[in-house]
Amino acid sequence: MKFTVAIDGPAAAGKGTISRAVAGRFGFAHLDTGLLYRAVGMKGGDPVLAARGLTAADLAREDLRSLEAGQAASKVAVLPDVRAALVAFQRAFARRDGGAVLDGRDIGTVICPEAEVKLFVTASAEIRARRRWLELEGEAFEDVLAQVRERDDRDMNRADAPMRAAEDAVVLDTSEMSVEAAIAQALALVAAKLG
Ligand code: CDP
């Protein structure tokens, strides 16, 4: 069975938590596509070569969740050749047998426009920055907020695969919603589609 759940949205909106819950409930595989860009950004050297030669070890680095890695990711993510190098892997993952959940910025628009369920998860920049600040240790809130805004801006305004909700995506604003409520909505959407 091929069944793809595309979960897009800006930094720290809750995509990861929702994706893991959906994947766990329905037994789907999960790919956090942001990790691919974070690994390319942190590898150093020519980012296009890094994207073409990405290894399991690159994806296992312990510093990929840092603020620095997020910034580096959004800088290499504007490069069309970097994005192109990562497309085939993501498409194959999306259409693997048994169902898949992918979270990122362009899953419902570019990687898998045929996804059976598309969600665009968002929240205000202040609320997203607060969530990310609580996850990270030793960072100043103002720095986290500034970086979230900078990344949002870069991700929305790049020419190639800018972050936006697909026309047929369900938009979930989690600013005033508990994690449990957001997960419940996502699970209900998938369950309804699976019939
Ligand atoms: O976890 P968080 O939402 O902060 O970020 P992420 O999903 O790990 O993505 C890091 C950066 O990678 C984003 O700011 C984007 O610039 C880029 N990215 C992308 O361009 N396309 C994707 N499908 C996923 C991430």
Side-chain angles (χ1 to χ4, degrees):
M1 177 205 58
K2 298 200 193 311
F3 192 97
T4 310
V5 183
I7 304 189
D8 291 306
K15 304 182 298 288
T17 309
I18 295 173
S19 299
R20 283 188 293 277
V22 170
R25 168 68 64 89
F26 299 101
F28 297 164
H30 171 221
L31 179 65
D32 171 358
T33 65
L35 273 188
L36 305 175
Y37 293 91
R38 287 170 179 263
V40 170
M42 292 302 274
K43 197 160 177 182
D46 179 340
V48 177
L49 294 181
R52 288 182 184 150
L54 213 54
T55 64
D58 296 332
L59 293 168
R61 289 174 65 130
E62 291 201 342
D63 55 359
L64 294 184
R65 301 271 174 210
S66 64
L67 275 188
E68 182 196 353
Q71 282 293 333
S74 81
K75 288 178 186 161
V76 298
V78 305
L79 302 170
D81 287 346
V82 165
R83 306 199 70 84
L86 301 174
V87 165
F89 174 73
Q90 295 177 83
R91 286 210 174 124
F93 194 98
R95 298 318 267 172
R96 83 214 302 267
D97 243 345
V101 183
L102 288 85
D103 70 287
R105 302 288 185 286
D106 62 340
I107 309 304
T109 51
V110 173
I111 299 298
C112 194
E114 70 273 36
E116 280 74 11
V117 174
K118 294 183 190 177
L119 268 176
F120 191 85
V121 185
T122 187
S124 74
E126 287 75 13
I127 285 178
R128 289 185 288 114
R130 180 154 296 276
R131 289 180 191 156
R132 185 51 49 92
W133 176 68
L134 290 171
E135 281 170 13
L136 295 164
E137 277 169 21
E139 303 287 351
F141 174 73
E142 288 307 322
D143 289 346
V144 178
L145 177 59
Q147 297 212 18
V148 159
R149 289 205 164 114
E150 190 184 326
R151 218 141 54 80
D152 283 357
D153 189 55
R154 211 182 279 125
D155 291 347
M156 282 188 296
N157 294 309
R158 67 183 176 221
D160 190 19
M163 171 177 71
R164 61 178 177 80
E167 272 175 22
D168 51 349
V170 173
V171 177
L172 212 59
D173 188 329
T174 67
S175 299
E176 297 186 4
M177 201 186 271
S178 68
V179 186
E180 292 76 22
I183 289 174
Q185 286 214 23
L187 294 177
L189 276 169
V190 175
K193 193 77 189 187
L194 281 169

